[in-house]
Amino acid sequence: MIQDFGTDGVIFLARGLMWTLGLSVATFLCGGILGLIFALGRSLGPRWIRLPIATYIELVQATPLLIVVFLSFYGLPFFGLYLPPLAAASLALTLYATAFLADIWRGCIEAVPRTQWEASEALGLSGPETLRHVIMPQAIRISLGPTVGFMVQIVKNTSVTALIGFVELTRAGQLLNNQTFQPFHVFITVALMYFAICYPMSLWSEKLKEKRNVDSTAH
Amino acid sequence: MSTALHIEGLKKYFGAHEVLKGVDLEVASGDVIAVIGRSGSGKSTMLRCINGLEPFQQGRIRIAGHVLGEGPQNLRVLRTEVGMVFQSYNLFPHLTVAENITLAPRVVRKLPRARHDELVDKVLSRVGLLDKKHAYPDELSGGQQQRVAIARSLAMEPRVMLFDEVTSALDPELTGEVLKAIQELAETGMTMVLVTHEMGFARQVATKTVFMHHGRVWESGPSEEIFGNPQTDELRAFIEPNLK
Ligand SMILES: Nc1ncnc2c1ncn2[C@@H]1O[C@H](COP(=O)(O)OP(=O)(O)O)[C@@H](O)[C@H]1O
Ligand SMILES: [Mg+2]
C-alpha cells in the first residue's frame, strides 16, 4: 500500500524515536553501572583484575559496534541462546558502552593527582573514604563533559540495531520509505529528529568541558 | 622531656637503590627539628616513612606511642597523631576552606556537626585566616593555601607535625607569612620536624638541626652549633653558600 508521507508518517517516526531514546537510556544506565565498576577495577584494582578489564576494553574498542550487534543476535543462537532484537540490541550496546565509559572514567579517576590521595591518607582517611570524599567528587567533575559527549554517541549508534530489525528511529525511517517512496522527506525528518536530540547534548557537553577548563586554570 | 619520636636504624630501598642507609634520630616533646641537606639526600623519604606513607625495610620508628617496623600497623590511628604538610599544599580543590578542615575530623573522628564551626574558627585563627572560611582553595594565594593546609592538619590535634619544604613552592614575598605561622606554632610547644631550605629560619626557630647527606644523618646538634661551628666538610660546603 502506497501512501503519502504526512502526519501519520511523522507519528510513526516519533514512535521510532521513543524506542531510540528508550534504548539509549537503558544502554547508558546498564553501561554506566558496569562501566563504573570496570573503571574502578581498572584504575584501583589488583593486577589480576586490571588485566582482564583492560583486555575487555581493548577488545570491544577495536571491534565495530555492528559486529558486536551481529554477534549478539546471530552469534548467540549458535550457543542455543536466542535473543529477540530488543534484547540483542540492549546487550550489544551495553557491552559497547561499558567498555567506552570504563575507559573514559578510568582516565578521570587517574586525572586526580596522586598527591590528593597522599594528603587524604596523611589525615587518616582510609582508601575507600578517600575515594568517596576526595577522589570521586573531583573525578565526576572532570567526567561530565566527556560523559555527555559519549551519550550523544550512544544515541546515534543505536541506529545500527536497525540492521537486526529492531524498529528504532532509523529502521522506522526505512519501513516508512518502503511504503511512501519519499526518501528525501522521510530521511530528512529522521535526521532532524536525531539532530534535535543530539545537538543540544553536544552543546551541553562542550559547555561542561569549557567550564572545567576555566575551573582548572582559575587562580 | 619525654621522647616524642625515636628513629632507629631506618633503612629504605626503592628497588635496589638504598635511599636511607640507617637513620637514627631522637626528638623530645616540644622539640623543633630542622632537617637540612641537598636534594636527593632522603629528607622527604624519611618524613614519609615517619607517618607511614612509605613502607621501609629495616629499623624502627616509635612515634606518639606507636611503633612502626614491627609487624602490621594501625596506620590510621598513627596518622591522626602525626600531621603532615606538603610542599604543594594539596588542599582539596572541590571543598571550601572550612570543609577542607572538617573533612578528616568528621570522617575519621566522627566529630558532630555542631562542633565544626568552633573547630574551624580555632584552627583558622591560629594561622590568621578567619575571614577565608568560605573561600575555595583556588581563590587563595599560595601562602594562604599553605596556611590553610597547616590549619587542616592542626584540626586533627596531632602530637607531632611534619613539614616538607612547605615554602619551596611559594613566591619569596609569600614565604614570610607561612614561616610566621610555623614559628607561632613552635612557640605553643608543638613537636615539629621540618625539612627546609630556609637556613636563617632553621637557625632561629629550630632547637636542633639535622644535616642529612647520602641517606644518613651526617651531623646533628643544637642549631647554633650546626650553623656556627660545623664539624664536617660536607656540612661546611652545604651551608657556606647558603649563609652568604
Ligand atoms: N617513589 C620513588 N621511587 C624511586 N625513587 C625515589 C622515590 N622517591 C624518592 N626516590 C629517590 O630517593 C632519593 C631521596 O629522595 P628524597 O627523599 O625525595 O630526597 P630529598 O627530599 O632530600 O630531596 C632520591 O635519589 C630519589 O630519586
Ligand atoms: Mg624532598
Side-chain angles (χ1 to χ4, degrees):
Chain A
M1 182 183 70
I2 297 177
Q3 54 180 64
D4 243 15
F5 176 58
T7 324
D8 285 352
V10 173
I11 289 172
F12 182 68
L13 290 182
R15 206 171 295 140
L17 177 63
M18 286 306 131
W19 281 108
T20 289
L21 292 180
L23 187 57
S24 300
V25 170
T27 299
F28 182 72
L29 289 181
C30 299
I33 292 167
L34 288 172
L36 179 62
I37 295 169
F38 279 32
L40 290 171
R42 176 75 181 87
S43 46
L44 306 172
R47 218 181 121 76
W48 63 270
I49 288 181
R50 286 203 317 263
L51 222 62
I53 294 177
T55 311
Y56 171 79
I57 292 173
E58 296 284 330
L59 219 64
V60 174
Q61 287 191 340
T63 311
L65 174 58
L66 185 55
I67 301 302
V68 183
V69 172
F70 280 172
L71 278 172
S72 307
F73 188 64
Y74 299 117
L76 286 183
F78 189 74
F79 300 98
L81 186 60
Y82 294 87
L83 294 181
L86 174 59
S90 304
L91 173 66
L93 282 164
T94 295
L95 292 175
Y96 152 85
T98 298
F100 279 85
L101 286 173
D103 204 31
I104 293 170
W105 291 343
R106 171 194 65 89
C108 297
I109 292 170
E110 288 173 3
V112 179
R114 188 76 232 152
T115 49
Q116 290 284 304
W117 286 93
E118 289 190 344
S120 179
E121 285 172 10
L123 285 165
L125 274 76
S126 67
E129 286 166 353
T130 298
L131 190 64
R132 166 155 173 237
H133 296 285
V134 176
I135 306 301
M136 286 314 273
Q138 296 183 58
I140 287 169
R141 259 178 226 201
I142 298 170
S143 76
L144 291 179
T147 302
V148 174
F150 183 68
M151 286 162 80
V152 175
Q153 297 301 315
I154 293 178
V155 173
K156 288 194 289 187
N157 281 337
T158 52
S159 63
V160 305
T161 63
L163 278 104
I164 55 170
F166 178 62
V167 188
E168 38 64 72
L169 180 53
T170 298
R171 182 77 187 136
Q174 281 181 323
L175 295 176
L176 191 63
N177 180 47
N178 290 345
Q179 289 191 346
T180 61
F181 298 110
Q182 287 183 298
F184 182 76
H185 293 84
V186 169
F187 287 115
I188 203 75
T189 311
V190 168
L192 283 174
M193 285 181 167
Y194 277 117
F195 184 81
I197 302 298
C198 294
Y199 185 64
M201 284 171 67
S202 290
L203 282 185
W204 185 30
S205 162
E206 286 310 312
K207 218 164 155 185
L208 288 168
K209 285 181 197 164
E210 231 166 73
K211 183 172 176 303
R212 162 163 154 67
N213 287 338
V214 172
D215 281 352
S216 62
T217 51
H219 235 285
Chain B
M1 275 277 165
S2 64
T3 303
L5 166 66
H6 194 177
I7 304 177
E8 288 169 284
L10 176 63
K11 288 194 181 186
K12 162 80 190 170
Y13 298 82
F14 283 113
H17 180 35
E18 189 176 26
V19 174
L20 297 177
K21 302 173 182 168
V23 169
D24 298 295
L25 184 68
E26 197 170 349
V27 181
S29 285
D31 262 356
V32 177
I33 308 287
V35 181
I36 60 173
R38 277 182 219 295
S39 168
S41 57
K43 306 180 297 294
S44 296
T45 305
M46 180 179 76
L47 286 197
R48 294 163 60 84
C49 287
I50 293 175
N51 80 340
L53 279 179
E54 289 288 355
F56 51 89
Q57 282 73 34
Q58 254 189 61
R60 280 203 321 171
I61 300 177
R62 276 189 287 139
I63 184 158
H66 303 269
V67 185
L68 285 176
E70 289 176 344
Q73 305 305 321
N74 191 345
L75 287 178
R76 194 177 160 84
V77 177
L78 169 83
R79 285 179 183 148
T80 63
E81 314 235 27
V82 183
M84 179 140 181
V85 184
F86 302 86
Q87 181 176 337
S88 50
Y89 339 130
N90 302 350
L91 293 180
F92 306 131
H94 60 298
L95 301 178
T96 64
V97 165
E99 291 164 344
N100 262 275
I101 290 168
T102 54
L103 179 66
R106 175 163 68 85
V107 174
V108 181
R109 285 257 167 84
K110 316 286 179 222
L111 185 76
R113 264 185 205 280
R115 309 248 327 262
H116 287 187
D117 277 348
E118 177 195 337
L119 175 69
V120 169
D121 288 354
K122 187 177 110 190
V123 295
L124 277 183
S125 66
R126 287 178 80 173
V127 296
L129 282 175
L130 265 178
D131 53 330
K132 298 295 182 191
K133 238 190 274 192
H134 304 296
Y136 281 89
D138 65 9
E139 297 164 353
L140 303 178
S141 73
Q144 291 170 332
Q145 289 191 54
Q146 194 57 294
R147 282 146 71 198
V148 172
I150 294 172
R152 179 176 71 176
S153 233
L154 287 175
M156 289 301 276
E157 297 173 335
R159 289 203 250 172
V160 177
M161 287 275 283
L162 310 174
F163 295 83
D164 193 0
E165 295 193 31
V166 294
T167 57
S168 296
L170 295 174
D171 294 334
E173 69 269 21
L174 298 178
T175 59
E177 60 187 74
V178 174
L179 294 178
K180 181 166 163 278
I182 296 174
Q183 182 166 7
E184 284 169 7
L185 197 55
E187 284 159 6
T188 67
M190 174 67 78
T191 309
M192 310 200 285
V193 179
L194 36 111
V195 172
T196 183
H197 284 306
E198 307 279 341
M199 297 300 154
F201 181 73
R203 188 169 188 169
Q204 184 195 342
V205 174
T207 47
K208 194 173 148 190
T209 292
V210 171
F211 171 59
M212 283 191 69
H213 190 64
H214 289 324
R216 288 198 170 85
V217 172
W218 203 259
E219 208 176 318
S220 69
S223 300
E224 236 2 88
E225 278 173 35
I226 290 292
F227 290 104
N229 186 19
Q231 299 297 306
T232 59
D233 290 343
E234 290 79 4
L235 178 55
R236 258 192 298 276
F238 179 72
I239 57 177
E240 258 163 27
N242 283 300
L243 289 181
K244 251 188 245 150

